[in-house]
Amino acid sequence: MCSGASGDQGTVPWACAGRLSGRTVTGDQRVVGGLPRAVITTGLGLLAMAPSGPSQVFEALLYAPCMGSKGRARDNSVQSVDRAVSILQVLAARGPSGVTDIAEALEIHKSSVFRLLATLEARGLVEQDNERGRYRIGYTMVELAGGVTKGDDLSLLSRPVCRELAAAVGETVNLAVHEGDEVISIDQVIGNAAITSIDWIGKRTPLHATSAGKVFLAHLPQDEVTEILAQPLEEYTEYTVTDPALLKEQLQTVRELGYGVASEEHEIGLAALSAPVRSLNGEVVAAVTLSGPTFRINDHTISGLAEQLVAAGDKISWRKGYLRRG
């Protein structure tokens, strides 16, 4: 646990920073990571620093949540870190941007963006064009990116979320990608209510007769969709939709609802829901699916299950770098 020093300087976890820096910190000459001039606004949990070395800001960000006796500083500090990450995502997606552009994209106040940018710039995570006043991703991000290359496996990123979803709904949860006119399952978590444990990993299923396939079709370019649906579409059960016009109506519904549904279209007795997983640029790169028997996944339960499923898809998308607003 961190211990703080109370008084007219506020309650600050300098014992934490002191352990990291190896120096005693008092008064206005407090040291974080060996550098003086760190000013932490306790009430807002926001960090405003003017450092010159490479190791100060993240130490302060990590230990700033210790501040305060009632948890307010902790909550605000977490929000600040979340917003700082969102700023980086905006710059990665849009390229050089001004403070106003970033504030509008995230729907937060410009003063908050400016303070966070100052901190990120101090660490080299962003750089500013002095002539235009616009910010861009800094070269320190290249160093950080090099450390996560091996961890960018989609199944590894999604597995904790899929486990959480399977535990919550009790059904089987799969992660799928698409290739051509097929869906390929690349990971699976079995829920505790699953009657059978069919291994779907590596199996290929059709786009037009599965919930994941409809999610992919709903977000493909229209000319590509038209080409796929112009091919002969196999009728797997009496409920399989093979009419291109009707399928296009279903795809519009998928876009409106944010998830796809297929009930007994590929296998009798099996129903499934799927939600999109997006990459940094918003492209749908995968679908998270929950499936189970029709007596558990039906018109009476779909709404509640879909809410949890879409939330899981959003969470995986965020882990992939997709920008969250606000």
Side-chain angles (χ1 to χ4, degrees), residues 1 6 13 16 27 31 57 59 83 119 122 142 148 162 173 198 204 228 233 253 263 271 274 279 281 303 326:
M1 291 294 293
S6 300
C16 298
V31 177
V57 177
E59 289 179 359
R83 286 178 170 178
T119 300
V142 178
V148 299
C162 291
V173 175
I198 300 174
R204 295 173 177 264
I228 292 173
L233 302 176
T253 301
S263 181
S274 293
S279 64
N281 63 5
S303 178

Side-chain angles (χ1 to χ4, degrees), residues 277-294:
V277 172
R278 299 179 184 272
S279 64
L280 174 65
N281 63 5
E283 179 186 359
V284 175
V285 294
V288 57
T289 299
L290 66 84
S291 59
T294 51

Side-chain angles (χ1 to χ4, degrees), residues 81-95 97 102 105-106 120 126 137 141 279-281 316-326:
V81 174
D82 183 68
R83 286 178 170 178
V85 172
S86 293
I87 288 174
L88 294 173
Q89 291 176 320
V90 168
L91 295 177
R94 299 188 177 189
S97 304
I102 297 170
L106 298 178
L120 293 171
V126 302
I137 291 292
M141 289 297 295
S279 64
L280 174 65
N281 63 5
I316 299 172
S317 299
W318 178 75
R319 291 170 69 91
K320 282 288 293 177
Y322 182 60
L323 179 64
R324 292 193 303 180
R325 300 178 67 88

Side-chain angles (χ1 to χ4, degrees), residues 25-62:
V25 288
T26 59
D28 291 332
Q29 295 301 312
R30 294 182 282 253
V31 177
V32 179
L35 181 81
R37 297 190 63 211
V39 180
I40 298 182
T41 306
T42 306
L44 296 178
L46 297 172
L47 180 63
M49 300 185 69
S52 58
S55 63
Q56 304 85 353
V57 177
F58 275 3
E59 289 179 359
L61 283 173
L62 287 172

Side-chain angles (χ1 to χ4, degrees), residues 139-159:
Y139 283 104
T140 298
M141 289 297 295
V142 178
E143 299 176 15
L144 297 178
V148 299
T149 303
K150 294 182 179 180
D152 193 35
D153 185 279
L154 185 56
S155 61
L156 293 179
L157 288 173
S158 65
R159 178 160 280 269

Side-chain angles (χ1 to χ4, degrees), residues 52 99 220 223 325:
S52 58
V99 173
L220 287 175
D223 56 345
R325 300 178 67 88

Side-chain angles (χ1 to χ4, degrees), residues 102-125:
I102 297 170
E104 290 177 353
L106 298 178
E107 300 177 354
I108 60 179
H109 200 277
K110 288 193 292 184
S111 62
S112 297
V113 172
F114 183 81
R115 284 193 291 268
L116 291 167
L117 282 168
T119 300
L120 293 171
E121 185 179 15
R123 282 302 305 270
L125 296 171

